[in-house]
Amino acid sequence: MIRFNDKDYNSSAEIFFDIFDDRLKLIIIWYLKNEKLRFKELFEYLQPITKKTLTIKLKELESLNLINREVFAEVPPRVEYSLSEYGEDLKPIIDEILVWSQKYVGKFGTKI
Amino acid sequence: MIRFNDKDYNSSAEIFFDIFDDRLKLIIIWYLKNEKLRFKELFEYLQPITKKTLTIKLKELESLNLINREVFAEVPPRVEYSLSEYGEDLKPIIDEILVWSQKYVGKFGTKI
DNA sequence: CTGTATCCAACTCGATACTG
DNA sequence: CAGTATCGAGTTGGATACAG
């Protein structure tokens, strides 16, 4: 048994499934996989999304130690998000997702 | 642009995120990764879940060509689920999820 | 630009009972 | 055993307006 964030798990993989049980957090990781992005940039990539939802998801990812949040003391304000060490570690998963998707789409999708 | 199941996508990875946008489908794949399982076995592994929800998710996975459904003409009935070719292809993702989880849990989890 | 605060619609999924 | 049918609670996340 493993305890993480006040919850108990039987296997470590359950923790992954619990963290990424929503639609958005892994997609945000996907967009951050090879570049630092500002709040506004993520907001545009993820349309349709609201600022409220994006803010919540970014805070969750930050408190899970998966992304870093950098605030610049400028006007207008600038905040940049990037993968942390443990966020970077998700890249092999992302890479395999891409491999799978391309094969799957090649079989069942249609280019238009 | 890619068309898949009457929807349009900009990148193939989006299709993965769209398929696995719920909490359960990838977890079902996880349990099927190295064994064929009966409805009842999945039902027990996935507790708490209802038969209704499990049925829906299994049908979705089947219609996505990710799992196979085998019905045996017995009394009581027996139905076995297993990964299809494209379901098997998800294993590298599952493997990387396990790698990541173990490192992450090693850092932030507690064995109890 | 980067958020917060309310409000609420939609969807997921569980509880329970019943069927072939 | 392997589902289906109905109901409803809970949560996610969008619309809109406002703030620092």
Side-chain angles (χ1 to χ4, degrees):
Chain A
M1 288 267 288
I2 298 155
R3 175 164 288 264
F4 173 69
N5 273 1
D6 299 326
K7 289 167 70 177
D8 295 337
Y9 299 88
N10 291 310
S11 82
S12 47
E14 279 179 31
I15 293 179
F16 174 90
F17 293 124
D18 209 21
I19 289 175
F20 296 104
D21 65 347
D22 58 14
R23 193 175 53 87
L24 289 166
K25 289 206 289 295
L26 197 55
I27 298 181
I28 292 174
I29 298 288
W30 165 268
Y31 280 110
L32 291 175
K33 73 178 182 325
N34 37 30
E35 50 180 347
K36 210 173 273 205
L37 290 175
R38 300 182 60 163
F39 184 88
K40 186 190 178 176
E41 294 173 310
L42 280 168
F43 183 70
E44 286 165 359
Y45 283 137
L46 292 164
Q47 283 309 309
I49 194 175
T50 61
K51 291 181 228 169
K52 185 195 86 171
T53 302
L54 180 55
T55 301
I56 291 171
K57 294 302 162 186
L58 288 170
K59 279 187 177 160
E60 287 177 9
L61 285 168
E62 193 192 0
S63 80
L64 287 161
N65 297 291
L66 296 178
I67 64 172
N68 301 312
R69 179 173 182 274
E70 250 178 310
V71 185
F72 296 84
E74 302 174 0
V75 179
R78 177 161 59 108
V79 179
E80 290 187 348
Y81 294 91
S82 58
L83 296 185
S84 70
E85 178 195 344
Y86 290 88
E88 293 278 344
D89 288 338
L90 289 164
K91 281 185 180 179
I93 298 174
I94 297 287
D95 291 340
E96 293 297 343
I97 286 174
L98 189 56
V99 169
W100 181 87
S101 302
Q102 286 174 343
K103 178 174 176 188
Y104 188 76
V105 164
K107 177 73 174 183
F108 300 108
T110 311
K111 292 194 184 88
I112 57 176
Chain B
M1 287 267 288
I2 300 154
R3 175 164 287 265
F4 172 70
N5 273 1
D6 299 326
K7 288 166 71 177
D8 295 336
Y9 299 88
N10 290 311
S11 83
S12 48
E14 279 178 31
I15 294 180
F16 174 91
F17 293 123
D18 209 22
I19 289 176
F20 296 104
D21 65 346
D22 57 14
R23 193 174 52 86
L24 289 165
K25 289 208 287 296
L26 196 55
I27 297 182
I28 293 174
I29 299 288
W30 166 268
Y31 280 111
L32 291 175
K33 75 178 180 325
N34 36 32
E35 50 180 347
K36 208 174 274 207
L37 289 175
R38 301 182 61 163
F39 185 89
K40 186 191 177 173
E41 294 173 310
L42 281 168
F43 184 70
E44 286 165 358
Y45 283 137
L46 292 164
Q47 284 309 309
I49 194 175
T50 61
K51 290 181 226 171
K52 185 194 85 172
T53 302
L54 180 55
T55 301
I56 290 170
K57 294 303 161 185
L58 288 169
K59 279 186 177 159
E60 288 177 10
L61 285 168
E62 193 192 0
S63 81
L64 288 161
N65 297 291
L66 297 178
I67 63 172
N68 300 312
R69 179 174 182 273
E70 247 178 310
V71 184
F72 297 84
E74 303 174 359
V75 180
R78 178 160 59 110
V79 180
E80 290 186 348
Y81 294 91
S82 57
L83 296 186
S84 70
E85 178 195 345
Y86 291 87
E88 292 278 345
D89 288 338
L90 290 164
K91 281 185 181 181
I93 299 174
I94 297 287
D95 290 340
E96 292 296 343
I97 285 174
L98 190 54
V99 169
W100 181 87
S101 302
Q102 286 173 344
K103 178 175 175 187
Y104 188 76
V105 163
K107 176 74 173 181
F108 299 109
T110 312
K111 291 193 183 88
I112 56 175

